Amino acid sequence: MLICFLYHSIKWSGGGSVNVKFSDISFSIGVNLGVDGSGKPKIKAGKCSCDSGPVKVKFRGGLAWIYNLFSGKVGKIIASQFQSKMCGIIQDLIDKNAQESLSTIKVEVQLGEFLTLDYRLLAAPTVTSEYIEADLKGEIFWKSDKSEAPFTPPAMATITDNKKMVYITLSEYIFNTMTYQAHKHNILVFNLTSQNIKSKDDALNTTCTDICIGKLIPQIGKSFPNSKVELHMKSSKPPVTSITDGNLGVAAQGDIDLYARKPDKTLHHLFQIAGTGSIAVKLTINETVIHGSVEDMKIKLNVSKSSIGPVNEKALQFLVDSAIKTTITPMLNDLGTKGFPMPSTDNLKLNQFDFKLLQNTMLIETNLKYIPEPTKIKSTMCGIVQNLIDNNAQKSLSTMKVQVKLGKVLTLDYRLMSAPKATPQYMEASLKGEILWTSDKTEAPFAPQSMAPITDSKKMVYITLSDYVFNTMFYQAHKHNMLVFNLTSKNKASIKVNLSIANEMIHGKLYDTKIQTKVTNSAIGTINDRALQFLVDSAIITTIEPMINGLGTTGFPMPSTNDLQFQQSGIKLLSNTILIETDLKYAPKSTVLKFVPMNERYLAIEI
């Protein structure tokens, strides 16, 4: 670093990195859970306590050799502030970040075009020392009609395991409310036609060379030749889902009306079938969605009304095998592939999950994986570093004096002339470096000489002082009649000075003073040289030297801050220049590193 008065520079290398290592961190905090008006969970931090071990700070690269001088102090300050502020950070993480994450939980999910799954919280979660339990609605409604189903959920199986982080139980009630709403609003209706079968050997033909409905039921083939049979299916009761140990089944009832569509597009009723069916479902889980597929399907049909006379059972079984099963099964599997979504948040994902089928209950056992947003973590760390610079470093720099009183009437002005120049190798700052009369800031009528260049780089800081600084002092002293004796060209003085530096002050002491005098005008006649020398030695030197040495003892102040001390300093005298070479020691007189309250800092601090 190189500081110059007027044409001085400060060289201070930049770049590098810092490692901060915390140890033995522990904290405890209470959490209050609730539910808002929309059924989403609420969370608020309670009482908190925190403790930590020592904090080690290590700077690397660039000016690490400077910064590591005060790494111990920084570590102690961070540890102290960390303990006092950590609870505030944790509480803020819960009150803001955790609450923000919980607010992303969906309490309603659209199922297709008409249905909505509602799993809002019914009450605040129950918290014990072993677990947290939350009761969710778990009902499917018609999107435009929130009327509840006319039946209640059965008691679910008790959870006895505790190996996983989370256990989610789904009642068969959920699935039964879905089929209830579908039946109530007449969406369990399907017309099975030849277009659904898409086969050359169409089983719904009335005329064929192989096997078709027209051959198995001859009266259809005779009455409606070269026609197509259609099955118009509709539920007669809501399907019922039953879950038992290891099994999930669906029982359904419906009516099937068979029509013949002639080539002229007219429909003719044939007969009506009352059907009952049972479906065994196989379940799988992928990420946060439950998927299902048809494992087995059994359908029983009975003719309830006929316009064509008796219909044999072989024809009905043919309809089941060749038309209904081959069409309905892929449709149900397609719905199962889309799946049933599980509750989750943007940052929490199910991990290592499994499921079991118990009495009236589907049990999902899973761990959770937290996936934080990297940008928020980065912004949090940057916020801490920016806070240290904007508040702590700035506070320290603000203590640097830019004007210093020298005696009663003189002022040393070393304010910055412009913004410091920073490069990867050094930082350089040019300071004013002029002494002014305190009540008259008129500058000296002469300019500073060019200073000697600095070629060394072994020290942390190099400060150069131009002889201009001292000449402005003498100029102001002479201008304002402080120098009550005159040295003329005929009265010459030679003074040698020893310089030293201590406590950020330059001190000086005369060690060889020579004054040559010559009488230019006398009212008493001739005066010999010996008498004049006696006057110099016994009066002038003995008076002037202590006065000047007194000023040298008081010293000449160097630019510094309250927390930086010069160390291993040296002085060199170059052309027009005093060069001070020094290292720095960081010695804080007070705690200047502190954490700004979270509400002033940002946030999102997100873990």
Side-chain angles (χ1 to χ4, degrees):
M1 176 176 179
L2 174 67
I3 302 180
C4 316
F5 286 98
L6 259 196
Y7 290 95
H8 281 353
S9 13
I10 299 179
K11 291 187 178 178
W12 198 321
S13 67
S17 62
V18 59
N19 294 330
V20 180
K21 183 178 181 181
F22 290 84
S23 62
D24 302 327
I25 299 173
S26 63
F27 64 88
S28 64
I29 187 167
V31 175
N32 300 314
L33 298 175
V35 59
D36 65 15
S38 64
K40 292 184 179 182
K42 293 195 306 183
I43 189 170
K44 187 172 181 59
K47 292 182 178 179
C48 176
S49 62
C50 176
D51 192 17
S52 71
V55 177
K56 295 183 179 180
V57 179
K58 180 70 174 180
F59 295 92
R60 301 179 186 279
L63 291 177
W65 50 290
I66 298 177
Y67 307 138
N68 282 324
L69 293 172
F70 52 89
S71 62
K73 294 288 185 180
V74 173
K76 290 180 181 179
I77 293 169
I78 291 177
S80 174
Q81 296 299 313
F82 179 84
Q83 293 177 26
S84 64
K85 299 300 181 182
M86 190 61 185
C87 276
I89 294 173
I90 296 170
Q91 288 169 330
D92 194 76
L93 284 172
I94 293 172
D95 293 344
K96 291 185 178 180
N97 302 344
Q99 179 57 45
E100 180 181 349
S101 181
L102 289 177
S103 69
T104 67
I105 291 179
K106 296 178 180 179
V107 295
E108 282 194 356
V109 176
Q110 193 79 13
L111 299 178
E113 186 177 353
F114 304 108
L115 298 176
T116 300
L117 169 60
D118 180 348
Y119 49 62
R120 65 183 183 273
L121 278 171
L122 295 175
T126 300
V127 180
T128 73
S129 56
E130 285 81 29
Y131 62 86
I132 299 175
E133 184 175 23
D135 291 327
L136 283 68
K137 180 69 174 173
E139 182 168 355
I140 293 176
F141 292 98
W142 191 252
K143 184 178 179 181
S144 58
D145 176 12
K146 300 295 182 173
S147 301
E148 296 193 1
F151 49 87
T152 57
M156 288 192 291
T158 303
I159 302 173
T160 57
D161 197 6
N162 61 3
K163 295 177 182 178
K164 296 284 188 177
M165 295 171 63
V166 178
Y167 292 84
I168 302 172
T169 55
L170 300 173
S171 169
E172 60 189 28
Y173 174 81
I174 298 176
F175 307 102
N176 288 331
T177 58
M178 176 177 65
T179 53
Y180 167 79
Q181 296 292 346
H183 170 74
K184 176 183 176 182
H185 293 90
N186 299 313
I187 63 172
L188 296 181
V189 175
F190 180 69
N191 293 341
L192 196 161
T193 70
S194 296
Q195 291 181 347
N196 302 115
I197 297 176
K198 297 178 180 179
S199 172
K200 292 180 180 180
D201 301 325
D202 191 344
L204 296 182
N205 288 335
T206 60
T207 302
C208 62
T209 58
D210 195 3
I211 298 177
C212 61
I213 192 69
K215 279 193 174 183
L216 293 174
I217 307 175
Q219 57 267 48
I220 294 178
K222 292 178 181 180
S223 301
F224 305 98
N226 301 314
S227 299
K228 299 283 187 180
V229 174
E230 297 181 4
L231 283 69
H232 293 195
M233 299 182 287
K234 180 180 180 180
S235 62
S236 56
K237 289 184 178 181
V240 176
T241 299
S242 299
I243 302 177
T244 58
D245 290 349
N247 298 293
L248 187 151
V250 179
Q253 296 184 42
D255 295 323
I256 305 174
D257 284 288
L258 279 76
Y259 293 88
R261 186 176 292 276
K262 297 175 70 174
D264 62 2
K265 305 301 181 182
T266 59
L267 275 179
H268 300 271
H269 187 266
L270 301 176
F271 57 91
Q272 185 183 71
I273 302 171
T276 59
S278 62
I279 302 172
V281 181
K282 181 181 179 180
L283 296 179
T284 57
I285 298 180
N286 182 19
E287 294 186 353
T288 60
V289 179
I290 301 174
H291 301 280
S293 60
V294 175
E295 191 171 39
D296 184 36
M297 178 184 292
K298 295 178 180 179
I299 300 175
K300 184 178 180 181
L301 301 176
N302 291 299
V303 177
S304 58
K305 181 180 178 181
S306 177
S307 301
I308 60 171
V311 179
N312 64 47
E313 293 184 359
K314 186 177 181 180
L316 296 181
Q317 191 61 46
F318 173 77
L319 281 175
V320 169
D321 296 336
S322 62
I324 299 177
K325 280 187 178 181
T326 56
T327 304
I328 299 301
T329 299
M331 292 173 60
L332 294 176
N333 285 338
D334 184 58
L335 290 174
T337 300
K338 293 179 180 178
F340 187 87
M342 297 301 301
S344 65
T345 72
D346 293 339
N347 302 117
L348 285 178
K349 303 299 179 184
L350 304 184
N351 187 36
Q352 298 176 329
F353 49 78
D354 196 4
F355 71 91
K356 296 177 181 178
L357 297 176
L358 308 175
Q359 188 64 39
N360 305 322
T361 308
M362 181 188 300
L363 172 63
I364 297 173
E365 307 170 324
T366 184
N367 291 325
L368 293 179
K369 184 177 181 180
Y370 178 71
I371 305 174
E373 296 182 35
T375 54
K376 290 189 176 181
I377 294 179
K378 289 179 181 178
S379 67
T380 298
M381 295 305 298
C382 286
I384 293 173
V385 174
Q386 288 170 337
N387 171 62
L388 288 172
I389 294 172
D390 293 343
N391 292 279
N392 304 334
Q394 180 56 42
K395 181 176 180 180
S396 180
L397 288 175
S398 68
T399 66
M400 181 181 286
K401 296 178 180 178
V402 295
Q403 287 192 346
V404 177
K405 277 290 193 70
L406 300 177
K408 296 181 179 180
V409 292
L410 295 176
T411 298
L412 169 59
D413 181 350
Y414 50 61
R415 66 183 183 273
L416 279 170
M417 301 293 290
S418 60
K421 175 185 177 183
T423 75
Q425 289 76 39
Y426 63 88
M427 185 172 72
E428 182 175 7
S430 296
L431 284 67
K432 179 70 173 174
E434 181 172 357
I435 294 177
L436 303 171
W437 193 255
T438 300
S439 58
D440 175 12
K441 296 302 173 70
T442 304
E443 296 186 0
F446 48 87
Q449 300 290 323
S450 296
M451 289 189 293
I454 299 172
T455 57
D456 197 5
S457 61
K458 296 178 182 178
K459 293 289 186 177
M460 294 168 63
V461 180
Y462 292 84
I463 303 175
T464 56
L465 289 87
S466 169
D467 51 20
Y468 174 84
V469 179
F470 306 100
N471 289 333
T472 58
M473 177 178 66
F474 296 136
Y475 167 79
Q476 295 293 345
H478 169 72
K479 176 182 176 182
H480 293 90
N481 299 315
M482 289 181 63
L483 302 178
V484 295
F485 59 94
N486 294 322
L487 293 176
T488 69
S489 58
K490 296 181 179 180
N491 298 311
K492 299 179 180 180
S494 172
I495 301 175
K496 294 183 179 180
V497 182
N498 273 329
L499 296 179
S500 62
I501 184 167
N503 299 324
E504 296 75 58
M505 301 284 287
I506 297 177
H507 302 280
K509 184 177 181 181
L510 303 181
Y511 72 92
D512 185 12
T513 303
K514 295 179 180 179
I515 300 177
Q516 296 178 359
T517 62
K518 184 177 180 180
V519 177
T520 58
N521 188 13
S522 175
I524 59 172
T526 302
I527 301 175
N528 61 46
D529 292 339
R530 186 175 180 183
L532 292 178
Q533 191 60 46
F534 172 79
L535 182 63
V536 168
D537 295 338
S538 62
I540 298 178
I541 291 179
T542 57
T543 302
I544 297 301
E545 272 194 3
M547 290 173 60
I548 294 177
N549 285 339
L551 292 174
T553 301
T554 302
F556 187 87
M558 292 289 96
S560 182
T561 71
N562 290 340
D563 302 318
L564 289 176
Q565 296 178 356
F566 287 9
Q567 196 173 49
Q568 297 177 332
S569 305
I571 293 181
K572 292 180 180 178
L573 299 178
L574 308 175
S575 178
N576 305 319
T577 307
I578 296 177
L579 172 61
I580 299 170
E581 306 170 322
T582 185
D583 290 329
L584 293 178
K585 179 182 179 182
Y586 180 72
K589 297 178 174 61
S590 62
T591 301
V592 296
L593 292 175
K594 68 177 183 179
F595 288 90
V596 172
M598 296 296 295
N599 59 355
E600 297 177 18
R601 192 191 313 165
Y602 109 35
L603 162 128
I605 205 173
E606 180 149 322
I607 288 182

